[in-house]
Amino acid sequence: MSIPEIRDGWTIVVPVKPAALGKTRLTAVTADREALARAIALDTIAAVAATPRVSHVLVVTDDAEVSALVSQWPAVDVIAEGDVRGLDAAIALGADAAGQGAPRAALLGDVPALTPQDLDAALKLAGEVERGLVPDAEGTGSTLVTARPGAVWVSAFGADSAARHRLLGCTDLAVPRGSSLRRDVDTAAQLAEAVALGVGPRTAAVLAAAAA
């Protein structure tokens, strides 16, 4: 029996590591690595919030500057990471807050070229499966994991997470390899690929300042 497509709005959980601790491999790109890390996160969150199928964004972070900014945006709430440790634990905080009554997803906070159109297309596909997965551009990691209403939340982000998510019952969504949703950024080379796709305005501004 086919599962009917979800038409109600999605809640998206976006974990954001404090900028002082994040994106350490981007130090060679700019002396202000913290500003770049925040810009990447903010551009990601802004794209999520502008996605038609998204009704609520939960940002899980202890970064005070990110919290102060996004808490003023419509349909965006902030959850303090607090004493939890690890990406999946932070995401679980947001998934628990969202509850099981609505479709939920977790998106990494480092997808600066993300467009609302690409995320919306993926969520349309996710509405047809119990749990969905979007691998990263390399095909080994994961950028997005989804769950239908009523499904118990599971995630296993990190190195080689795509295979672990499949073992947890996630189905690969037919998202093109060149989709902006698949280009997360941890290295200078990955950032260059994101720039080629077209990064958001905050990331572009930090990079322009670094090049001046």
Side-chain angles (χ1 to χ4, degrees), residues 93-135:
L93 280 179
D96 288 346
Q100 294 188 27
R104 298 169 290 171
L107 173 72
L108 297 184
D110 59 356
V111 193
L114 180 66
T115 66
Q117 294 82 4
D118 282 353
L119 177 56
D120 205 58
L123 294 177
K124 184 177 187 298
L125 295 170
E128 301 171 357
V129 299
E130 183 77 6
R131 292 189 178 89
L133 161 69
V134 176

mmCIF file of all heavy atoms in Angstrom, residues 93-135:
data_model
loop_
_atom_site.group_PDB
_atom_site.id
_atom_site.type_symbol
_atom_site.label_atom_id
_atom_site.label_comp_id
_atom_site.label_asym_id
_atom_site.label_seq_id
_atom_site.Cartn_x
_atom_site.Cartn_y
_atom_site.Cartn_z
ATOM 1 N N LEU A 93 17.203 16.687 20.859
ATOM 2 C CA LEU A 93 16.516 17.717 21.638
ATOM 3 C C LEU A 93 15.448 18.399 20.792
ATOM 4 O O LEU A 93 14.312 18.606 21.221
ATOM 5 C CB LEU A 93 17.516 18.759 22.127
ATOM 6 C CG LEU A 93 18.369 18.443 23.344
ATOM 7 C CD1 LEU A 93 19.307 19.619 23.619
ATOM 8 C CD2 LEU A 93 17.505 18.167 24.564
ATOM 9 N N GLY A 94 15.842 18.765 19.568
ATOM 10 C CA GLY A 94 14.899 19.426 18.690
ATOM 11 C C GLY A 94 13.792 18.508 18.235
ATOM 12 O O GLY A 94 12.617 18.910 18.174
ATOM 13 N N ALA A 95 14.123 17.261 17.919
ATOM 14 C CA ALA A 95 13.111 16.305 17.475
ATOM 15 C C ALA A 95 12.094 16.035 18.573
ATOM 16 O O ALA A 95 10.891 15.926 18.313
ATOM 17 C CB ALA A 95 13.788 15.009 17.034
ATOM 18 N N ASP A 96 12.566 15.943 19.813
ATOM 19 C CA ASP A 96 11.649 15.735 20.941
ATOM 20 C C ASP A 96 10.733 16.943 21.121
ATOM 21 O O ASP A 96 9.539 16.797 21.392
ATOM 22 C CB ASP A 96 12.438 15.491 22.223
ATOM 23 C CG ASP A 96 13.101 14.116 22.255
ATOM 24 O OD1 ASP A 96 12.732 13.271 21.416
ATOM 25 O OD2 ASP A 96 13.985 13.908 23.107
ATOM 26 N N ALA A 97 11.291 18.136 20.977
ATOM 27 C CA ALA A 97 10.487 19.346 21.123
ATOM 28 C C ALA A 97 9.430 19.448 20.030
ATOM 29 O O ALA A 97 8.325 19.951 20.262
ATOM 30 C CB ALA A 97 11.388 20.581 21.096
ATOM 31 N N ALA A 98 9.767 18.954 18.847
ATOM 32 C CA ALA A 98 8.820 18.999 17.732
ATOM 33 C C ALA A 98 7.651 18.052 17.947
ATOM 34 O O ALA A 98 6.543 18.308 17.484
ATOM 35 C CB ALA A 98 9.538 18.659 16.426
ATOM 36 N N GLY A 99 7.892 16.945 18.656
ATOM 37 C CA GLY A 99 6.842 15.955 18.868
ATOM 38 C C GLY A 99 6.670 15.060 17.649
ATOM 39 O O GLY A 99 7.249 15.302 16.587
ATOM 40 N N GLN A 100 5.847 14.031 17.810
ATOM 41 C CA GLN A 100 5.665 13.054 16.731
ATOM 42 C C GLN A 100 4.435 13.324 15.874
ATOM 43 O O GLN A 100 4.151 12.586 14.941
ATOM 44 C CB GLN A 100 5.555 11.640 17.316
ATOM 45 C CG GLN A 100 6.827 11.154 17.990
ATOM 46 C CD GLN A 100 6.744 9.688 18.379
ATOM 47 O OE1 GLN A 100 6.024 8.905 17.766
ATOM 48 N NE2 GLN A 100 7.485 9.313 19.407
ATOM 49 N N GLY A 101 3.721 14.413 16.164
ATOM 50 C CA GLY A 101 2.476 14.651 15.435
ATOM 51 C C GLY A 101 2.644 15.298 14.086
ATOM 52 O O GLY A 101 1.694 15.348 13.297
ATOM 53 N N ALA A 102 3.826 15.809 13.791
ATOM 54 C CA ALA A 102 4.082 16.471 12.511
ATOM 55 C C ALA A 102 5.312 15.850 11.858
ATOM 56 O O ALA A 102 6.135 15.226 12.537
ATOM 57 C CB ALA A 102 4.297 17.968 12.729
ATOM 58 N N PRO A 103 5.451 16.005 10.553
ATOM 59 C CA PRO A 103 6.671 15.514 9.914
ATOM 60 C C PRO A 103 7.879 16.306 10.400
ATOM 61 O O PRO A 103 7.810 17.531 10.530
ATOM 62 C CB PRO A 103 6.410 15.736 8.426
ATOM 63 C CG PRO A 103 5.386 16.824 8.376
ATOM 64 C CD PRO A 103 4.534 16.636 9.594
ATOM 65 N N ARG A 104 8.962 15.592 10.659
ATOM 66 C CA ARG A 104 10.171 16.217 11.199
ATOM 67 C C ARG A 104 11.366 15.863 10.331
ATOM 68 O O ARG A 104 11.404 14.811 9.698
ATOM 69 C CB ARG A 104 10.452 15.709 12.613
ATOM 70 C CG ARG A 104 9.375 16.018 13.620
ATOM 71 C CD ARG A 104 9.602 15.248 14.916
ATOM 72 N NE ARG A 104 9.359 13.815 14.755
ATOM 73 C CZ ARG A 104 9.634 12.900 15.667
ATOM 74 N NH1 ARG A 104 10.181 13.260 16.812
ATOM 75 N NH2 ARG A 104 9.367 11.638 15.459
ATOM 76 N N ALA A 105 12.343 16.742 10.357
ATOM 77 C CA ALA A 105 13.592 16.466 9.650
ATOM 78 C C ALA A 105 14.732 17.151 10.373
ATOM 79 O O ALA A 105 14.521 18.142 11.085
ATOM 80 C CB ALA A 105 13.524 16.949 8.202
ATOM 81 N N ALA A 106 15.919 16.631 10.198
ATOM 82 C CA ALA A 106 17.132 17.271 10.708
ATOM 83 C C ALA A 106 18.010 17.616 9.518
ATOM 84 O O ALA A 106 18.267 16.768 8.657
ATOM 85 C CB ALA A 106 17.882 16.345 11.665
ATOM 86 N N LEU A 107 18.447 18.855 9.474
ATOM 87 C CA LEU A 107 19.313 19.339 8.405
ATOM 88 C C LEU A 107 20.575 19.897 9.029
ATOM 89 O O LEU A 107 20.502 20.718 9.964
ATOM 90 C CB LEU A 107 18.610 20.433 7.598
ATOM 91 C CG LEU A 107 19.468 21.145 6.558
ATOM 92 C CD1 LEU A 107 19.751 20.227 5.374
ATOM 93 C CD2 LEU A 107 18.789 22.425 6.085
ATOM 94 N N LEU A 108 21.731 19.498 8.528
ATOM 95 C CA LEU A 108 22.975 20.055 9.039
ATOM 96 C C LEU A 108 23.018 21.561 8.799
ATOM 97 O O LEU A 108 22.512 22.058 7.789
ATOM 98 C CB LEU A 108 24.170 19.381 8.358
ATOM 99 C CG LEU A 108 24.324 17.881 8.614
ATOM 100 C CD1 LEU A 108 25.617 17.373 7.963
ATOM 101 C CD2 LEU A 108 24.345 17.578 10.103
ATOM 102 N N GLY A 109 23.642 22.278 9.708
ATOM 103 C CA GLY A 109 23.665 23.734 9.629
ATOM 104 C C GLY A 109 24.811 24.292 8.822
ATOM 105 O O GLY A 109 25.208 25.445 9.030
ATOM 106 N N ASP A 110 25.343 23.503 7.885
ATOM 107 C CA ASP A 110 26.489 23.971 7.101
ATOM 108 C C ASP A 110 26.275 23.738 5.604
ATOM 109 O O ASP A 110 27.123 23.187 4.919
ATOM 110 C CB ASP A 110 27.776 23.298 7.582
ATOM 111 C CG ASP A 110 27.735 21.774 7.472
ATOM 112 O OD1 ASP A 110 26.677 21.219 7.090
ATOM 113 O OD2 ASP A 110 28.765 21.134 7.759
ATOM 114 N N VAL A 111 25.116 24.192 5.125
ATOM 115 C CA VAL A 111 24.772 24.022 3.705
ATOM 116 C C VAL A 111 24.520 25.420 3.136
ATOM 117 O O VAL A 111 23.375 25.779 2.832
ATOM 118 C CB VAL A 111 23.534 23.108 3.538
ATOM 119 C CG1 VAL A 111 23.366 22.673 2.091
ATOM 120 C CG2 VAL A 111 23.640 21.880 4.445
ATOM 121 N N PRO A 112 25.572 26.230 2.965
ATOM 122 C CA PRO A 112 25.391 27.659 2.683
ATOM 123 C C PRO A 112 24.859 27.984 1.296
ATOM 124 O O PRO A 112 24.433 29.120 1.051
ATOM 125 C CB PRO A 112 26.803 28.234 2.872
ATOM 126 C CG PRO A 112 27.711 27.088 2.546
ATOM 127 C CD PRO A 112 27.003 25.877 3.095
ATOM 128 N N ALA A 113 24.885 27.035 0.372
ATOM 129 C CA ALA A 113 24.337 27.270 -0.966
ATOM 130 C C ALA A 113 22.893 26.785 -1.079
ATOM 131 O O ALA A 113 22.299 26.848 -2.159
ATOM 132 C CB ALA A 113 25.204 26.585 -2.026
ATOM 133 N N LEU A 114 22.323 26.295 0.021
ATOM 134 C CA LEU A 114 20.980 25.723 -0.006
ATOM 135 C C LEU A 114 19.965 26.710 -0.562
ATOM 136 O O LEU A 114 19.938 27.877 -0.187
ATOM 137 C CB LEU A 114 20.565 25.325 1.413
ATOM 138 C CG LEU A 114 19.168 24.702 1.564
ATOM 139 C CD1 LEU A 114 19.090 23.356 0.864
ATOM 140 C CD2 LEU A 114 18.799 24.580 3.031
ATOM 141 N N THR A 115 19.101 26.205 -1.444
ATOM 142 C CA THR A 115 17.980 27.011 -1.927
ATOM 143 C C THR A 115 16.675 26.432 -1.393
ATOM 144 O O THR A 115 16.554 25.219 -1.211
ATOM 145 C CB THR A 115 17.914 27.022 -3.462
ATOM 146 O OG1 THR A 115 17.604 25.706 -3.943
ATOM 147 C CG2 THR A 115 19.238 27.492 -4.062
ATOM 148 N N PRO A 116 15.688 27.281 -1.120
ATOM 149 C CA PRO A 116 14.387 26.773 -0.680
ATOM 150 C C PRO A 116 13.773 25.800 -1.682
ATOM 151 O O PRO A 116 13.101 24.839 -1.290
ATOM 152 C CB PRO A 116 13.547 28.048 -0.543
ATOM 153 C CG PRO A 116 14.531 29.128 -0.264
ATOM 154 C CD PRO A 116 15.741 28.757 -1.082
ATOM 155 N N GLN A 117 14.036 26.023 -2.958
ATOM 156 C CA GLN A 117 13.472 25.139 -3.975
ATOM 157 C C GLN A 117 14.019 23.723 -3.858
ATOM 158 O O GLN A 117 13.261 22.739 -3.974
ATOM 159 C CB GLN A 117 13.771 25.698 -5.374
ATOM 160 C CG GLN A 117 13.088 27.019 -5.680
ATOM 161 C CD GLN A 117 13.827 28.223 -5.110
ATOM 162 O OE1 GLN A 117 14.918 28.093 -4.529
ATOM 163 N NE2 GLN A 117 13.236 29.398 -5.267
ATOM 164 N N ASP A 118 15.327 23.608 -3.622
ATOM 165 C CA ASP A 118 15.926 22.266 -3.512
ATOM 166 C C ASP A 118 15.447 21.548 -2.255
ATOM 167 O O ASP A 118 15.165 20.340 -2.280
ATOM 168 C CB ASP A 118 17.451 22.367 -3.510
ATOM 169 C CG ASP A 118 18.025 22.600 -4.909
ATOM 170 O OD1 ASP A 118 17.248 22.547 -5.883
ATOM 171 O OD2 ASP A 118 19.245 22.834 -5.022
ATOM 172 N N LEU A 119 15.355 22.269 -1.137
ATOM 173 C CA LEU A 119 14.868 21.635 0.088
ATOM 174 C C LEU A 119 13.397 21.260 -0.061
ATOM 175 O O LEU A 119 12.979 20.181 0.360
ATOM 176 C CB LEU A 119 15.058 22.574 1.278
ATOM 177 C CG LEU A 119 14.532 22.060 2.625
ATOM 178 C CD1 LEU A 119 15.150 20.712 2.984
ATOM 179 C CD2 LEU A 119 14.788 23.082 3.728
ATOM 180 N N ASP A 120 12.607 22.117 -0.678
ATOM 181 C CA ASP A 120 11.195 21.837 -0.850
ATOM 182 C C ASP A 120 10.982 20.581 -1.692
ATOM 183 O O ASP A 120 10.120 19.747 -1.382
ATOM 184 C CB ASP A 120 10.503 23.032 -1.507
ATOM 185 C CG ASP A 120 9.026 23.095 -1.189
ATOM 186 O OD1 ASP A 120 8.688 23.155 0.010
ATOM 187 O OD2 ASP A 120 8.201 23.071 -2.126
ATOM 188 N N ALA A 121 11.778 20.445 -2.752
ATOM 189 C CA ALA A 121 11.665 19.257 -3.605
ATOM 190 C C ALA A 121 11.996 17.992 -2.824
ATOM 191 O O ALA A 121 11.341 16.948 -2.991
ATOM 192 C CB ALA A 121 12.587 19.403 -4.814
ATOM 193 N N ALA A 122 13.012 18.065 -1.954
ATOM 194 C CA ALA A 122 13.386 16.897 -1.157
ATOM 195 C C ALA A 122 12.292 16.551 -0.154
ATOM 196 O O ALA A 122 11.990 15.371 0.072
ATOM 197 C CB ALA A 122 14.706 17.156 -0.435
ATOM 198 N N LEU A 123 11.689 17.549 0.454
ATOM 199 C CA LEU A 123 10.624 17.287 1.431
ATOM 200 C C LEU A 123 9.387 16.704 0.752
ATOM 201 O O LEU A 123 8.672 15.893 1.348
ATOM 202 C CB LEU A 123 10.272 18.571 2.180
ATOM 203 C CG LEU A 123 11.372 19.130 3.091
ATOM 204 C CD1 LEU A 123 10.933 20.440 3.714
ATOM 205 C CD2 LEU A 123 11.772 18.125 4.160
ATOM 206 N N LYS A 124 9.127 17.091 -0.472
ATOM 207 C CA LYS A 124 8.024 16.481 -1.213
ATOM 208 C C LYS A 124 8.269 14.981 -1.364
ATOM 209 O O LYS A 124 7.368 14.161 -1.146
ATOM 210 C CB LYS A 124 7.871 17.127 -2.587
ATOM 211 C CG LYS A 124 6.686 16.612 -3.400
ATOM 212 C CD LYS A 124 6.580 17.361 -4.714
ATOM 213 C CE LYS A 124 5.292 16.979 -5.450
ATOM 214 N NZ LYS A 124 5.246 15.539 -5.811
ATOM 215 N N LEU A 125 9.494 14.616 -1.715
ATOM 216 C CA LEU A 125 9.848 13.199 -1.823
ATOM 217 C C LEU A 125 9.781 12.522 -0.462
ATOM 218 O O LEU A 125 9.329 11.371 -0.345
ATOM 219 C CB LEU A 125 11.256 13.061 -2.408
ATOM 220 C CG LEU A 125 11.457 13.546 -3.850
ATOM 221 C CD1 LEU A 125 12.939 13.576 -4.188
ATOM 222 C CD2 LEU A 125 10.701 12.665 -4.826
ATOM 223 N N ALA A 126 10.218 13.214 0.577
ATOM 224 C CA ALA A 126 10.244 12.629 1.924
ATOM 225 C C ALA A 126 8.842 12.327 2.429
ATOM 226 O O ALA A 126 8.657 11.427 3.255
ATOM 227 C CB ALA A 126 10.954 13.578 2.889
ATOM 228 N N GLY A 127 7.866 13.069 1.936
ATOM 229 C CA GLY A 127 6.497 12.826 2.360
ATOM 230 C C GLY A 127 5.936 11.497 1.909
ATOM 231 O O GLY A 127 4.865 11.079 2.367
ATOM 232 N N GLU A 128 6.658 10.802 1.042
ATOM 233 C CA GLU A 128 6.180 9.533 0.497
ATOM 234 C C GLU A 128 6.810 8.315 1.168
ATOM 235 O O GLU A 128 6.507 7.186 0.802
ATOM 236 C CB GLU A 128 6.461 9.498 -1.014
ATOM 237 C CG GLU A 128 5.774 10.640 -1.769
ATOM 238 C CD GLU A 128 6.210 10.740 -3.216
ATOM 239 O OE1 GLU A 128 7.096 9.939 -3.620
ATOM 240 O OE2 GLU A 128 5.688 11.599 -3.937
ATOM 241 N N VAL A 129 7.715 8.551 2.132
ATOM 242 C CA VAL A 129 8.406 7.432 2.782
ATOM 243 C C VAL A 129 8.337 7.595 4.301
ATOM 244 O O VAL A 129 8.082 8.680 4.819
ATOM 245 C CB VAL A 129 9.888 7.334 2.336
ATOM 246 C CG1 VAL A 129 9.990 7.096 0.840
ATOM 247 C CG2 VAL A 129 10.664 8.594 2.733
ATOM 248 N N GLU A 130 8.556 6.492 5.017
ATOM 249 C CA GLU A 130 8.538 6.536 6.488
ATOM 250 C C GLU A 130 9.684 7.379 7.026
ATOM 251 O O GLU A 130 9.497 8.259 7.861
ATOM 252 C CB GLU A 130 8.626 5.106 7.036
ATOM 253 C CG GLU A 130 8.532 5.013 8.545
ATOM 254 C CD GLU A 130 7.110 5.173 9.066
ATOM 255 O OE1 GLU A 130 6.171 5.240 8.255
ATOM 256 O OE2 GLU A 130 6.946 5.232 10.293
ATOM 257 N N ARG A 131 10.887 7.083 6.550
ATOM 258 C CA ARG A 131 12.074 7.850 6.923
ATOM 259 C C ARG A 131 12.893 8.079 5.664
ATOM 260 O O ARG A 131 13.092 7.159 4.869
ATOM 261 C CB ARG A 131 12.931 7.104 7.952
ATOM 262 C CG ARG A 131 12.300 6.943 9.326
ATOM 263 C CD ARG A 131 13.322 6.398 10.319
ATOM 264 N NE ARG A 131 12.765 6.274 11.649
ATOM 265 C CZ ARG A 131 12.132 5.184 12.092
ATOM 266 N NH1 ARG A 131 12.003 4.129 11.304
ATOM 267 N NH2 ARG A 131 11.641 5.163 13.320
ATOM 268 N N GLY A 132 13.388 9.285 5.496
ATOM 269 C CA GLY A 132 14.138 9.621 4.301
ATOM 270 C C GLY A 132 15.561 10.057 4.604
ATOM 271 O O GLY A 132 15.890 10.444 5.735
ATOM 272 N N LEU A 133 16.393 10.029 3.572
ATOM 273 C CA LEU A 133 17.817 10.356 3.694
ATOM 274 C C LEU A 133 18.271 11.077 2.435
ATOM 275 O O LEU A 133 17.944 10.661 1.328
ATOM 276 C CB LEU A 133 18.637 9.074 3.872
ATOM 277 C CG LEU A 133 20.138 9.132 3.576
ATOM 278 C CD1 LEU A 133 20.850 9.979 4.623
ATOM 279 C CD2 LEU A 133 20.727 7.734 3.517
ATOM 280 N N VAL A 134 19.017 12.155 2.623
ATOM 281 C CA VAL A 134 19.727 12.796 1.517
ATOM 282 C C VAL A 134 21.216 12.709 1.816
ATOM 283 O O VAL A 134 21.701 13.345 2.762
ATOM 284 C CB VAL A 134 19.313 14.268 1.337
ATOM 285 C CG1 VAL A 134 20.150 14.919 0.232
ATOM 286 C CG2 VAL A 134 17.824 14.363 0.992
ATOM 287 N N PRO A 135 21.962 11.902 1.059
ATOM 288 C CA PRO A 135 23.413 11.834 1.261
ATOM 289 C C PRO A 135 24.080 13.143 0.853
ATOM 290 O O PRO A 135 23.522 13.932 0.077
ATOM 291 C CB PRO A 135 23.845 10.687 0.335
ATOM 292 C CG PRO A 135 22.591 9.924 0.031
ATOM 293 C CD PRO A 135 21.501 10.947 0.042
#
